[in-house]
Amino acid sequence: DVERAETGIVFIDEIDKIAKKDSARSRDVSGESVQQGMLKLLEGSEVEVPVGATSKNAMVPLATVNTKNILFICGGAFPDLEGIIKERLNKQSAIGFLSDKYDNDKSVMKKVTGEDLRKFGMIPEFLGRLPIVFTLDGLSEEMLVKILTDPKNAIIKQYQKLLELDEVKLEFTEGALKTIAKKAIEKDTGARALRSIIEEFMLDIMYEIPKDPHIGTVTVTEEYI
């Protein structure tokens, strides 16, 4: 539905992957040229979009979409951006010697400027088309505990279901959940860290408990973790 699509919101993830690479030797396949190509999209123009195209049938009808009223939001992790920001801030705050004033600053990402993003490898024209730059906070301990328990297919619920098949009831104490969240924050890989931590200490439970017909309930405590 072209008309509805023309007033939509498009979220483009992993935008940091199209930053231009520093090394002049390698061919820059995914970098600057991709950003150049996206400029036309972002600034609002008539773009021809193939409808239902696969590699097998290249000759498909093209629909013309005007991107003028589409809101584009681009997001990404920008892994090394922190270093670039710190470098700039340290230059400003230090005279004669480098200070490490910002090294342990958790909110250093919030101080990002267009200049930093340009150093990261985004071309100026591209940044100009995306006037608002916003930093999101990392996950806090409370949020991680919520992720463990609240969603419909939360990890804890998955394990409870698995043990239910062996007629065992699995429970986690409040302290245990908080400890898991703490460990996840130390790993610093976001919510993905939760599964690896839980796998580690659930392994024995998953194998040992079903063997024993007398066990009806398992409670995982803080001390155990």
Side-chain angles (χ1 to χ4, degrees):
D1 184 341
V2 174
E3 213 166 286
R4 285 186 68 184
E6 284 184 336
T7 55
I9 298 175
V10 176
F11 181 77
I12 306 172
D13 200 8
E14 303 283 9
I15 201 75
D16 50 324
K17 305 289 180 289
I18 63 167
K20 91 179 163 210
K21 308 287 179 290
D22 280 341
S23 56
R25 292 188 306 282
S26 62
R27 280 182 58 220
D28 195 4
V29 182
S30 63
E32 190 172 351
S33 47
V34 178
Q35 292 185 48
Q36 298 280 7
M38 282 180 67
L39 290 179
K40 189 176 160 209
L41 266 180
L42 294 175
E43 70 185 341
S45 56
E46 309 266 316
V47 184
E48 301 212 309
V49 182
V51 180
T54 58
S55 49
K56 293 192 182 73
N57 57 344
M59 302 296 291
V60 285
L62 293 167
T64 307
V65 179
N66 187 352
T67 62
K68 197 173 75 191
N69 297 321
I70 294 178
L71 171 65
F72 284 96
I73 303 174
C74 303
F78 291 91
D80 302 327
L81 189 58
E82 273 193 14
I84 295 172
I85 300 172
K86 278 179 191 159
E87 204 176 295
R88 175 176 59 85
L89 293 171
N90 282 335
K91 264 192 201 138
Q92 286 172 2
S93 70
I95 302 165
F97 59 93
L98 269 180
S99 80
D100 48 7
K101 181 173 143 194
Y102 295 102
D103 275 0
N104 302 322
D105 190 356
K106 280 272 181 260
S107 61
V108 78
M109 272 295 225
K110 286 196 167 42
K111 301 180 170 72
V112 69
T113 61
E115 183 60 33
D116 300 325
L117 290 166
R118 222 192 69 213
K119 248 196 177 148
F120 183 82
M122 308 314 263
I123 59 175
E125 305 92 299
F126 186 81
L127 293 171
R129 305 276 192 298
L130 297 163
I132 299 168
V133 176
F134 197 78
T135 320
L136 301 178
D137 290 331
L139 292 167
S140 67
E141 212 173 289
E142 293 83 57
M143 286 182 202
L144 287 168
V145 171
K146 268 201 168 127
I147 292 172
L148 279 173
T149 53
D150 288 8
K152 198 168 98 218
N153 57 344
I155 305 180
I156 300 265
K157 289 182 187 165
Q158 290 179 24
Y159 276 106
Q160 286 170 334
K161 195 89 191 141
L162 284 170
L163 281 172
E164 226 169 78
L165 300 175
D166 295 303
E167 296 176 357
V168 175
K169 191 173 170 220
L170 176 67
E171 289 168 350
F172 283 82
T173 64
E174 191 69 23
L177 294 173
K178 282 199 172 123
T179 312
I180 296 169
K182 260 200 200 83
K183 278 178 180 264
I185 286 177
E186 280 163 27
K187 280 204 168 179
D188 206 22
T189 51
R192 295 190 179 101
L194 294 171
R195 182 174 285 277
S196 60
I197 292 164
I198 290 188
E199 284 288 298
E200 222 169 273
F201 65 79
M202 281 303 290
L203 199 64
D204 295 342
I205 297 179
M206 299 296 289
Y207 279 106
E208 297 305 325
I209 302 301
K211 288 185 197 164
D212 189 335
H214 301 302
I215 298 176
T217 309
V218 174
T219 304
V220 177
T221 62
E222 193 175 341
E223 292 75 39
Y224 177 62
I225 294 169

